[in-house]
Amino acid sequence: MRLHEYQAKGIFADAGIPTPDSRLATSVDEVVDAGAALGYPVAVKAQVHVGGRGKAGGIEIATDDDELREAADAILGMDLKGYHVDRVLVESAVDFVNELYLGVTMDRGEGEPVAMVSSEGGVDIESVAEETPEAIAREGVDPAFGMHPYQARKAVYEAGVPRDVSRAVASVLETLYDLWESKDASEAEINPLMVTDGGDVVAADAVLNVDDDALFRHPDLADMEEESYTDDLERKAGEYGFDYVRLSGNVGIIGNGAGLVMATLDLVDHYGGDPANFLDIGGGAKAERVTNALDMVFSDPNVDSVVFNIFGGITRGDEVARGINDALSQFDEIPKPVVVRLAGTNASEGMEILDTSLVQVEETLEDAVQRAVANAEEVQS
């Protein structure tokens, strides 16, 4: 479950991490009232689960009522990378002299949590990791003991954080790790952690993604689940019980098993396409579940083509094929071209069942992905 920025900041603030004063607003008048209460300048920030909001016009700074009303008018109701903006966070602008990055996630290669600090905050940390990996200090943490204070100080020192704020930054990193652990999070991040002229640190953004399977231990977080949905597709995925992440591309992807879906995403990218989503229908999928998956992907206006990648184990190929036929037969006209690749249990039976007047069938994953990418390119041309 991905929390919105305002939800994550509330949790961070309760734990003692400094955050700007803020108000949540869903209308232009509420935004203006929030600005008057907070005092200018203020930032208006779209609350959607996408990166690069500022470059896409989802974050604006306002210095008076007129600018604030104009910013609220522009952001509320806008389509931001495929997401409808129905709420914004209005918060006091931070006068900063430096921006840092702090994050905690799981290092699956090492089999342990890793805390990260970088002096290059305020930018896409994935780009920093790719272009200048030495700019990110990493500190592995033994989960049996948690993060020791010396480890936080070590990461901060290795990242080149100025000495006058290093103690404050290390304290925030310790708290961030404690939150990551106690909330059963998959990711906790502050980007940027702003440093003010007076030597204070403020979390100007906040990310907290929580393991869905651990929500039974966190009723307070479970109560946020419905509110955390950004759009109808995410809400629908929750109702269907799918693992779903919406992306910015136009090639829809459906598979069974996270590893298989991730491999399909990688191949779409490898062959020049742009994935539109991560959608795992899980094991033991029946026809109704497959129908629901296709309904979800077809409902995404960004999707131009679909690749369906199933490896039969618990999920039988013939059952999936019936689901695909049932789903597509409901349409007078297939809204998007669908490419299917089946392998494993009853794959050959499934291939025979598939209605080739409704779908395109490929024997290998590589061929299926290349065809789906070509279909998307043809739609765009």
Side-chain angles (χ1 to χ4, degrees):
M1 182 181 75
R2 295 184 294 169
L3 298 182
H4 284 295
E5 175 190 5
Y6 72 90
Q7 294 170 319
K9 278 185 173 174
I11 294 171
F12 286 12
D14 289 343
I17 295 176
T19 61
D21 292 335
S22 61
R23 304 284 190 279
L24 186 68
T26 58
S27 70
V28 173
D29 288 340
E30 287 182 4
V31 171
V32 175
D33 289 344
L38 294 169
Y40 293 101
V42 296
V44 185
K45 310 173 77 174
Q47 296 300 286
V48 290
H49 296 308
V50 296
R53 290 175 297 168
K55 293 179 180 178
I59 299 177
E60 298 287 350
I61 302 294
T63 59
D64 57 40
D65 284 354
D66 291 338
E67 289 184 5
L68 184 56
R69 186 173 292 277
E70 183 179 347
D73 250 335
I75 296 175
L76 280 169
M78 77 182 299
D79 183 276
L80 189 61
K81 297 185 177 181
Y83 289 86
H84 176 75
V85 179
D86 62 3
R87 69 195 95 170
V88 295
L89 186 66
V90 186
E91 67 180 20
S92 299
V94 179
D95 187 11
F96 65 94
V97 296
N98 198 4
E99 294 179 293
L100 309 173
Y101 167 87
L102 273 65
V104 180
T105 189
M106 178 61 72
D107 185 336
R108 301 195 182 279
E110 296 296 328
E112 64 182 8
V114 60
M116 298 170 288
V117 182
S118 177
S119 58
E120 297 187 21
V123 297
D124 180 12
I125 196 63
E126 286 79 10
S127 298
V128 176
E130 183 176 340
E131 297 169 9
T132 54
E134 67 278 4
I136 303 175
R138 296 169 172 82
E139 183 67 21
V141 180
D142 187 332
F145 299 100
M147 172 171 276
H148 295 291
Y150 83 86
Q151 292 181 292
R153 295 194 298 269
K154 178 171 175 280
V156 169
Y157 173 79
E158 291 179 350
V161 173
R163 181 179 296 233
D164 58 337
V165 295
S166 60
R167 188 182 298 272
V169 175
S171 176
V172 172
L173 183 60
E174 287 184 68
T175 303
L176 191 66
Y177 179 85
D178 290 343
L179 282 171
W180 179 87
E181 183 180 48
S182 64
K183 301 298 184 183
D184 288 301
S186 57
E187 181 181 12
E189 183 179 271
I190 301 173
N191 188 23
L193 180 71
M194 290 183 169
V195 180
T196 70
D197 190 41
D200 296 322
V201 293
V202 182
D205 197 6
V207 171
L208 187 65
N209 298 334
V210 181
D211 186 342
D212 291 330
D213 294 330
L215 286 177
F216 73 94
R217 290 203 291 244
H218 305 283
D220 55 330
L221 297 179
D223 289 342
M224 297 180 183
E225 185 170 21
E226 177 68 20
E227 196 175 350
S228 74
Y229 293 135
T230 297
D231 62 9
D232 290 339
L233 285 175
E234 289 188 345
R235 185 172 289 105
K236 189 179 288 187
E239 293 171 355
Y240 289 155
F242 291 147
D243 289 328
Y244 173 80
V245 179
R246 193 175 185 187
L247 304 173
S248 59
N250 63 345
V251 179
I253 296 169
I254 302 172
N256 63 320
L260 196 67
V261 179
M262 286 301 299
T264 311
L265 263 75
D266 288 342
L267 277 175
V268 169
D269 180 71
H270 175 73
Y271 288 118
D274 198 0
N277 63 270
F278 172 103
L279 177 53
D280 176 11
I281 64 174
K286 302 298 183 182
E288 181 182 0
R289 193 164 176 83
V290 176
T291 300
N292 291 339
L294 283 167
D295 172 61
M296 276 199 61
V297 176
F298 285 161
S299 298
D300 186 344
N302 293 340
V303 171
D304 291 324
S305 73
V306 180
V307 57
F308 212 117
N309 183 20
I310 295 293
F311 186 87
I314 298 173
T315 307
R316 290 170 20 215
D318 58 328
E319 190 70 40
V320 173
R322 291 189 185 93
I324 295 172
N325 287 345
D326 290 347
L328 294 178
S329 65
Q330 299 173 26
F331 296 91
D332 295 331
E333 182 179 351
I334 307 304
K336 327 246 168 127
V338 178
V339 184
V340 179
R341 176 261 189 176
L342 298 179
T345 305
N346 289 4
S348 58
E349 291 89 339
M351 290 290 200
E352 293 177 3
I353 292 170
L354 282 170
D355 186 343
T356 54
S357 68
L358 301 176
V359 299
Q360 302 164 356
V361 179
E362 296 290 349
E363 290 189 4
T364 70
L365 176 56
E366 290 81 1
D367 289 342
V369 168
Q370 289 183 75
R371 191 160 186 177
V373 170
N375 287 340
E377 291 174 348
E378 186 176 336
V379 171
Q380 290 293 315
S381 62

